């Protein structure tokens, strides 16, 4: 039996410990805000916070998540008003929106660790998150806006 | 869990702020039929005449099931005044799910903050055509939705006039109320809803459209997309997010070579994987099979991760296929060879042979664009529940009506026993016009008797796509002694997307060669366009901008090559070829010119508009300005989806051959527009998708099988290599200029503008995509 905390609630899991956290969150718990994009930690759509750090949930096995704290997009802010979320809305970042939960989780982790990132730091932190619609210009602006306050 | 309940909540319980696509609890479906059930407007679904109030004629009426603009179909008003507007087009990121309901709201003088948007299920008998592709949503529906809103406004005004016993001319709808100026009496829309509902739909001659100066939302760019909050909080519902009680998760092993079938399979190892519950064969159809599944073996599990692992353990042997001969290197050679020989003539102006004989100089070039995959961020996924002679699906489909019809056919069910709930589409770009993944889910649900989610992995998506066709474009130009182009021959060899529908025609068809080949808008007396043989060995579909991508790449690159050959400025060369402002009409000299399904009279080829976007973008970009060493600028223009778009790209290439894009400028003339903010976002995205196509996109085959698998070997542009800034300039147009496409036409001019900029910076001419390591020193 594996126990972990997801968005502040203790949850348990009794299945295959090699199952990736992504599918536990999505299929077993129903936290569908975390998206499947590649399954190989190449696109960032499944980014969540694991003990405060941005990770690709498709590449974290349940056995390695045991005892840890997971925060998904649903748990980032109780009212959906994290500065990153507000900045994303202020600049109308999304097109299709599918990658944005992962982008927002990545950006929130970046700003937590580096409150005033340089352009290079933004690129470095965000380059693991693919947006096929091509919202990058606004993503970069939104990270900056979230850093400086909305 | 509350968020699951949220997903399954009933329509009527949603708050006034629109929160997401509503995924209904299936057991409650009968209670929830139609928005009207909320209890207000209840009117018959009368079709307004197709051209009732049209300022311009479109091809919308000729699409399957035509146009419906009746407010009783699209609008309902609750007693508290909440206006519910149906979005009948699919939302894949262009913003039409917001923009069209916003048009209705503006025309009916509703307060947008008190409106909510509900997504229509696939039901073209009720809503008219819902096929969301071809950059048609605003182009075909801005007029019907204005009509719809104006009719609703009139009904509310009539209801108020009735209450007051005055003539309807004495009242006016303003900001969610109807006001009687003389008496100062006011009625909220909610108060009037029931009375308005009792009125028949006014005939078109009674409906007055607003003066565009009175618009509150249209044209302002001030309205945010309705799903913005839900997208940023993880609540938005996409194809893989619908959850049903007892649902099982499936992934499918599909034949690696098109046309192969399951010969045998051994499920034993797969069944030993924890969480795997069943292994079943999925029916496949013989090719060409339109959008029917290719078949394979499905692994059913308690979650998707277990299903994926089960599939890895599964042993399947496949039958042989004639398409195992498909080898990309050999195929490219064959296309080049075919394009060097005369093909079928599809446009012939003047006497090309004679003109080439007279030419002082002949310039020719061959351009290659490989096959590539859509790779939308959301891989195909669908949920189906087939039970008790009914089928209900939740899926991200561009064509909900087509999906509905294909489900009826595949499952042999009558129209009213199938329901297609349309989720948000996590990108689509043409892939999700094809509903094979939905049919797979339905077939599995039927076989297993439980709700089934089919999830495509990224590998499935990249290897079993309906691909953008590979193409060779060969262009020759004859120049006279002064450097003027007197002859133009453009041949291409590319497999036809019609091979997905009918026995392979092996040549480009009118719909394909009319996207940038035969509609070349140049002032050249002798023009010949030919299509050459190219058999299909893959499922060909349409990818954003379709044939305009290779045609614009070839034509607009070639123009810059001609400028170089004749020692002229590329922009001046381009304007000279376009010639004076006029209407170019290639219909008489072309075999079946296709004008994107719309009347040529409404949407002619207008070189004045082409010239204007070229001049506008050149001015804004500072064409000809001094650039730092290693930088270069390129320009291109292309008319597609009836819009005119010109792009200037500035590149920087360092001494190792690394390419970066400091700046992009794009000028757009798309006629009358509704939401300029979303036009800008489409153009920003088009630059990035164009950069991906140019730098990276290539699907190759060996022995009939795709060699790429995921974003490691099928890369896309990331944030650190994206253009640093994309500036967008929209040509202002009044209601007298018909609306045209926006979703697709930004991509085609970007790629040649980029390659022309690379030439300006480095002297290296890119004729083969992707660029790959061609710039490496």
């Amino acid at each position: 039996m594996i126990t972990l905390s997801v968005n502040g609630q203790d949850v348990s899991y009794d299945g295959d410990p090699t199952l990736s956290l992504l599918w536990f969150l999505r299929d077993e718990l129903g936290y569908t805000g975390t998206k499947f994009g590649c399954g190989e930690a190449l696109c960032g759509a499944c980014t969540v916070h694991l003990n405060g750090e941005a990770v690709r949930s498709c590449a974290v096995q349940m056995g390695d998540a045991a005892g840890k704290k997971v925060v998904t997009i649903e748990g980032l802010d109780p009212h959906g008003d994290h500065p990153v979320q507000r900045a994303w809305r202020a600049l109308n970042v999304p097109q299709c929106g599918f990658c944005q939960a992962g982008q927002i989780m990545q950006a929130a982790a970046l700003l937590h660790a580096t409150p005033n990132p340089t352009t290079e730091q933004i690129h470095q932190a965000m380059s693991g998150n693919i947006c096929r619609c091509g919202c990058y210009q606004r993503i970069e602006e939104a990270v900056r806006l979230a850093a400086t306050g909305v | 869990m509350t968020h699951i309940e949220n997903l399954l909540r009933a329509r009527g319980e949603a708050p006034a702020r629109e929160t997401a696509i509503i995924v209904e609890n299936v057991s409650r479906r009968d209670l929830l039929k139609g928005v009207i059930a909320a209890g207000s407007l209840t009117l018959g679904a009368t079709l307004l005449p197709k051209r009732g109030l049209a300022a311009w004629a479109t091809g919308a009426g000729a699409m399957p099931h035509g146009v419906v603009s009746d407010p009783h179909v699209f609008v309902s008003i609750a007693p508290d005044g909440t206006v519910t507007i149906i979005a009948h087009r699919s939302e894949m990121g262009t913003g039409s799910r917001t923009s069209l309901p916003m048009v209705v709201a503006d025309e009916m003088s509703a307060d947008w903050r008190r409106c909510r948007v509900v997504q229509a299920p696939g039901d073209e008998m009720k809503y008219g055509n819902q096929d969301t592709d071809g950059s048609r949503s605003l182009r075909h529906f801005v007029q019907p939705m204005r009509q719809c809103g104006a009719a609703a406004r009139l009904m509310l005004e009539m209801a108020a006039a009735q209450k007051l016993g005055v003539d309807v001319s004495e009242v006016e709808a303003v900001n969610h109320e109807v006001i009687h100026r003389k008496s100062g009496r006011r009625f909220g829309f909610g108060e009037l809803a029931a009375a308005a509902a009792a009125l028949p739909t006014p005939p078109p001659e009674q409906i007055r459209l607003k003066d565009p100066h009175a618009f509150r939302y249209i044209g302002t760019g001030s309205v945010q997309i309705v799903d913005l909050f839900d997208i940023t909080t993880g609540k938005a519902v996409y194809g893989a997010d619908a959850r049903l009680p007892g649902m099982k998760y499936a992934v499918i092993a599909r034949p690696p070579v098109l046309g192969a079938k399951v010969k045998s399979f051994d499920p034993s190892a797969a069944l030993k994987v924890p969480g795997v519950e069943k292994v079943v064969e999925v029916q496949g159809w013989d090719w060409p099979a339109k959008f029917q599944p290719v078949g394979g073996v499905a692994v059913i599990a308690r979650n998707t991760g277990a299903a994926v692992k089960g599939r890895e353990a599964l042993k399947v042997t496949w039958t042989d296929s004639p398409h195992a001969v498909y080898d990309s290197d050999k195929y490219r050679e064959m296309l080049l060879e075919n394009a060097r020989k005369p093909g079928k003539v599809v446009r012939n102006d003047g006497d090309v042979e004679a003109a080439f004989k007279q030419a002082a100089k002949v310039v020719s070039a061959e351009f290659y664009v490989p096959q590539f995959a859509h790779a939308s961020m959301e891989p195909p996924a669908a949920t189906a529940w087939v039970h008790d002679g009914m089928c209900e699906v939740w899926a991200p489909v561009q064509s909900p009506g087509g999906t509905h019809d294909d489900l009826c056919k595949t499952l042999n069910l009558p129209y009213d026993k199938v329901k297609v709930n349309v989720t948000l589409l996590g990108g689509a770009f043409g892939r999700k016009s094809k509903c094979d993944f939905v049919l797979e889910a339905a077939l599995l649900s039927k076989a297993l008797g439980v709700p089934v989610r089919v999830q495509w992995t990224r590998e499935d998506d990249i290897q079993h796509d309906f691909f953008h066709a590979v193409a060779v474009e060969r262009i020759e130009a004859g120049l006279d002694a002064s450097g003027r182009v007197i002859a133009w021959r453009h041949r291409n060899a590319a497999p036809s997307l019609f091979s997905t529908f009918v026995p392979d025609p092996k040549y480009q068809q009118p719909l394909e060669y009319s996207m940038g080949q035969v509609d070349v808008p140049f002032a050249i007396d002798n023009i010949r366009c030919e299509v050459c043989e190219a058999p299909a060995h893959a499922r060909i579909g349409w990818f954003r901008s379709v044939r305009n991508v290779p045609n614009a790449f070839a034509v607009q690159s070639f123009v810059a090559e001609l400028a170089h050959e004749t020692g002229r400025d590329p922009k001046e060369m381009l304007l000279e070829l376009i010639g004076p402002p006029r209407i170019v009409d290639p219909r008489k000299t072309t075999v079946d010119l296709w004008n994107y399904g719309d009347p040529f009279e409404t949407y002619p080829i207008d070189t004045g508009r082409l010239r204007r976007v070229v001049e506008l973008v050149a001015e804004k970009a500072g064409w000809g300005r001094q650039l730092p060493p290693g930088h270069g600028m390129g320009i291109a223009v292309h008319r597609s989806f009836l819009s005119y778009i010109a792009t200037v790209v500035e590149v920087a290439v360092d001494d190792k051959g690394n390419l970066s894009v400091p700046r992009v400028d794009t000028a757009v003339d798309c006629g009358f527009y509704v939401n300029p903010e979303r036009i800008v976002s489409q153009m920003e995205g088009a630059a990035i998708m164009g950069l991906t196509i140019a730098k990276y996109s290539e699907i190759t085959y060996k022995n009939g099988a795709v060699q790429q698998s995921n974003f490691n070997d099928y890369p896309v542009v990331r944030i650190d290599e994206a253009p640093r800034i994309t500036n967008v300039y929209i040509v202002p147009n009044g209601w007298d200029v018909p609306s045209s496409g926006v979703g697709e036409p930004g991509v085609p001019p970007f790629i040649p503008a980029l390659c022309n900029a690379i030439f300006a910076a480095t002297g290296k001419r890119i004729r083969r995509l992707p660029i790959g390591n061609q710039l490496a020193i």
Side-chain angles (χ1 to χ4, degrees):
Chain A
M1 179 74 78
I2 291 166
T3 58
L4 64 160
S5 157
V6 177
N7 295 334
Q9 290 190 331
D10 291 336
V11 295
S12 57
Y13 171 67
D14 62 355
D16 177 8
T18 68
L19 179 73
S20 64
L21 176 61
L22 167 67
W23 299 119
F24 176 69
L25 292 171
R26 284 189 56 83
D27 295 352
E28 303 274 339
L29 295 185
Y31 283 108
T32 53
T34 303
K35 300 303 185 199
F36 166 69
C38 73
E40 298 285 343
L42 296 164
C43 80
C46 66
T47 303
V48 299
H49 295 171
L50 187 68
N51 282 355
E53 287 192 21
V55 296
R56 312 300 182 219
S57 62
C58 73
V60 175
Q61 294 191 354
M62 284 306 292
D64 296 331
K68 293 185 178 161
K69 284 185 179 164
V70 175
V71 175
T72 70
I73 185 72
E74 290 94 339
L76 182 62
D77 180 272
H79 306 291
D81 273 338
H82 186 281
V84 172
Q85 291 170 312
R86 292 206 305 273
W88 244 246
R89 296 194 287 267
L91 295 178
N92 296 308
V93 171
Q95 289 183 36
C96 86
F98 189 81
C99 73
Q100 300 297 349
Q103 304 272 4
I104 287 167
M105 295 307 283
Q106 185 70 38
L110 165 67
L111 294 180
H112 186 71
T114 313
N116 282 297
T118 62
T119 298
E120 201 171 65
Q121 285 171 322
I122 295 173
H123 284 181
Q124 196 174 15
M126 302 303 296
S127 65
N129 291 74
I130 293 173
C131 174
R132 186 73 163 130
C133 295
C135 304
Y136 295 131
Q137 184 174 322
R138 297 189 192 203
I139 287 170
E140 186 178 322
E141 286 168 28
V143 173
R144 248 183 236 119
L145 181 62
T148 53
V150 181
Chain B
M1 286 202 160
T2 52
H3 58 278
I4 298 174
E5 287 158 13
N6 264 337
L7 293 179
L8 295 173
R9 73 191 179 269
R11 271 195 182 111
E13 293 160 11
R17 182 182 57 72
E18 173 52 17
T19 51
I21 289 184
I22 312 306
V23 177
E24 291 176 9
N25 186 325
V26 178
S27 63
R28 301 180 64 181
R29 63 180 293 184
D30 289 336
L31 292 174
L32 299 165
K33 265 189 183 163
V35 184
I36 312 296
S40 350
L41 286 172
T42 44
L43 305 155
T46 323
L47 272 175
L48 288 181
K50 286 185 182 104
R51 295 191 185 181
L53 293 168
W56 61 80
T58 74
M63 295 292 291
H65 301 104
V67 176
V68 175
S69 57
D70 192 321
H72 300 281
V73 174
F74 287 94
V75 181
S76 66
I77 306 173
D80 72 354
T82 302
V83 172
T84 299
I85 306 172
I86 295 284
H88 72 303
R89 313 287 291 173
S90 299
E91 179 59 73
M92 65 195 87
T94 63
S96 64
R97 175 172 140 85
T98 300
S99 299
L100 286 172
M102 186 187 89
V103 169
V104 175
D106 210 342
E107 269 294 348
M108 69 184 283
S109 297
D111 179 350
W112 182 246
R113 290 169 302 180
R114 299 179 68 188
C115 298
R116 57 194 285 265
V117 174
V118 168
Q119 191 70 29
D123 187 353
E124 294 195 346
M125 303 283 267
K126 182 173 180 183
Y127 301 106
N129 188 269
Q130 296 179 269
D131 185 4
T132 314
D133 65 16
S135 298
R136 278 193 301 256
S137 287
L138 270 292
R139 181 171 119 215
H140 278 180
F141 291 95
V142 64
Q143 295 188 105
M145 290 301 112
R146 284 194 69 187
Q147 245 169 276
C148 177
R153 167 167 42 86
L154 178 56
M155 290 158 75
L156 288 159
E157 288 171 342
M158 288 164 86
Q162 260 180 5
K163 276 187 193 286
L164 292 167
V166 301
D167 189 83
V168 71
S169 63
E170 292 185 26
V171 298
E172 186 191 2
V174 180
N175 192 26
H176 233 82
E177 293 179 318
V178 178
I179 299 170
H180 184 240
R181 300 264 180 219
K182 277 185 196 161
S183 67
R185 292 282 305 275
R186 305 162 166 261
F187 298 97
F189 279 7
E191 288 175 81
L192 299 169
L199 295 169
T201 307
E205 58 272 18
Q206 282 184 22
I207 298 171
R208 289 167 293 107
L209 296 181
K210 274 187 175 175
D211 184 312
H213 296 295
F215 289 141
R216 183 173 171 187
Y217 308 113
I218 295 172
T220 64
S222 61
V223 171
Q224 298 190 300
I225 56 170
V226 293
D227 301 298
L228 188 57
F229 186 84
D230 287 347
I231 286 171
T232 57
T233 53
K235 293 188 185 75
V237 175
Y238 295 86
D241 299 341
R243 293 167 59 79
L244 300 174
M247 182 171 84
K248 300 297 177 190
Y249 299 82
V251 297
I252 299 172
R254 296 178 188 78
V257 179
L258 184 64
K261 289 196 164 74
V262 178
K263 195 187 225 170
S264 64
F265 65 96
D266 176 1
S268 52
L271 287 167
K272 286 186 191 130
V273 172
V276 171
E277 296 177 0
K278 280 198 176 99
V279 176
V280 294
E281 189 167 347
V282 183
Q283 185 185 348
W285 272 255
D286 286 329
W287 191 67
K290 198 191 162 203
F291 308 145
Q292 298 300 121
V294 292
V297 180
V299 177
I300 317 296
R302 73 178 255 186
N303 59 56
T304 315
V308 170
K309 273 191 193 148
R311 186 175 68 174
E312 285 164 10
L314 182 68
K315 292 183 182 68
V316 187
T317 52
W318 308 96
T319 61
D320 294 334
S321 162
H323 300 294
V325 298
Y326 191 23
D327 174 297
S328 293
D329 290 337
K330 287 181 196 153
Y331 194 80
R332 176 171 174 272
E333 292 305 316
M334 187 198 72
L335 291 185
L336 283 165
E337 203 175 293
N338 289 359
R340 287 168 191 156
K341 296 179 290 200
K344 290 185 183 174
V345 177
V346 291
R347 177 177 172 186
N348 195 24
D349 292 24
D351 189 339
V352 165
E353 298 299 340
F356 271 111
K357 276 184 196 139
Q358 286 166 19
K361 186 175 189 177
V362 173
V363 181
S364 70
E366 292 168 341
F367 298 88
Y368 178 73
V369 178
Q371 186 172 317
F372 50 82
H374 298 78
S376 55
M377 284 315 296
E378 173 194 50
T383 303
W385 190 6
V386 180
H387 64 107
D388 303 319
M390 296 188 293
C391 169
E392 183 158 14
V393 301
W394 292 259
V397 285
Q398 289 180 247
S399 181
T403 303
H404 182 281
D405 292 351
D406 284 349
L407 283 164
C408 288
K409 271 184 244 161
T410 304
L411 302 174
N412 195 24
L413 289 173
Y415 189 91
D416 63 352
K417 295 294 182 190
V418 169
K419 185 172 186 192
V420 177
N421 300 288
V422 183
T423 67
L424 290 179
L425 283 58
F429 315 117
R431 169 60 181 94
K432 290 168 187 163
S433 295
K434 296 91 176 173
C435 60
D436 54 338
F437 58 101
V438 187
L439 301 175
E440 288 172 342
L443 289 166
L444 283 171
S445 177
K446 186 181 176 183
L448 298 169
V450 292
V452 173
R453 153 98 45 76
V454 165
Q455 176 68 58
W456 284 45
T457 63
R458 180 59 61 194
E459 290 80 4
D460 298 337
D461 177 50
I462 285 176
Q463 298 182 338
H464 301 285
D465 196 9
F466 287 81
F467 296 93
H468 178 88
V470 50
V472 162
E473 311 285 335
R474 178 186 168 86
I475 308 182
E476 296 156 89
L479 291 81
D480 69 12
S482 71
R484 200 171 60 89
V485 179
I486 56 168
W488 176 275
R489 178 160 49 216
H490 180 171
R491 283 191 196 131
N492 68 38
S496 172
L497 62 83
F498 285 85
S499 60
T500 297
F501 299 88
V502 294
D504 188 0
K506 296 184 181 168
Y507 291 86
Q508 291 278 292
Q509 301 297 300
L511 179 144
E512 297 171 301
Y513 59 65
S514 299
M515 290 196 226
Q517 186 187 12
V518 297
D519 51 331
V520 64
F522 293 160
I524 302 170
D525 291 337
N526 307 291
I527 294 178
R528 182 178 293 177
C529 297
E530 299 171 19
V531 293
C532 304
E533 189 173 349
H537 293 298
R539 295 202 296 184
I540 309 293
W542 41 97
F543 178 107
R544 187 182 192 179
S545 318
V546 204
R547 290 288 307 157
N548 290 293
V549 169
N551 281 321
F553 168 56
V555 170
Q556 294 291 311
S557 296
F558 193 67
V559 170
E561 293 204 27
L562 290 173
H564 180 70
E565 286 288 336
T566 56
R568 275 181 292 171
D569 175 74
K571 179 199 133 202
E572 294 310 317
M573 184 83 214
L574 184 55
L575 288 173
E576 181 187 303
L577 281 169
I578 292 169
R582 69 200 184 285
I583 301 300
V584 171
D585 187 353
R587 285 178 295 177
K588 285 198 188 93
T589 54
T590 295
V591 181
D592 297 330
L593 180 81
W594 183 75
N595 198 42
Y596 297 90
D598 277 331
F600 192 85
E601 289 69 22
T602 307
Y603 295 101
I605 300 171
D606 182 339
T607 58
R609 294 175 74 184
L610 263 184
R611 293 184 67 95
R612 182 164 48 187
V613 288
V614 169
E615 283 160 352
L616 176 62
V617 79
E619 181 208 321
K620 295 288 187 182
W623 180 258
R625 71 184 144 88
Q626 198 68 40
L627 295 171
H631 286 232
M633 282 173 111
I635 191 167
V637 66
H638 191 68
R639 170 191 181 268
S640 67
F641 303 90
L642 312 169
S643 288
Y644 301 81
I645 301 190
T647 298
V648 168
V649 176
E650 180 184 342
V651 301
V653 182
D654 70 16
D655 53 10
K656 295 190 181 70
N658 295 311
L659 170 69
S660 59
V661 182
R663 179 169 166 179
V664 177
D665 294 86
T666 291
V668 183
D669 180 351
C670 57
F672 178 83
Y673 56 79
V674 168
N675 193 345
E677 194 278 324
R678 286 293 94 179
I679 296 172
V680 171
S681 66
Q682 283 302 296
M683 296 305 135
E684 291 168 358
I688 289 163
M689 184 165 275
L691 189 59
T692 288
I693 293 169
K695 282 180 81 167
Y696 298 126
S697 296
E698 183 168 32
I699 293 291
T700 58
Y701 285 76
K702 206 82 192 166
N703 299 323
V706 172
Q707 293 180 289
Q708 290 71 29
S709 60
N710 207 317
F711 292 122
N712 58 324
D713 50 14
Y714 188 74
V716 299
V717 161
R718 293 168 184 272
I719 195 168
D720 53 344
E721 52 191 324
R724 297 299 305 127
I725 187 163
T726 296
N727 301 305
V728 181
Y729 317 98
I730 306 172
V731 174
N733 281 306
W735 182 242
D736 56 327
V737 186
S739 300
S740 47
V742 170
E744 294 170 269
V747 177
F750 176 87
I751 298 167
L754 174 85
C755 294
N756 292 340
I758 289 170
F759 180 79
T762 66
K764 287 190 181 176
R765 173 53 63 187
I766 302 293
R767 288 179 177 157
R768 178 177 179 169
L769 296 182
I771 296 166
N773 60 7
Q774 291 177 65
L775 300 178
I777 306 226

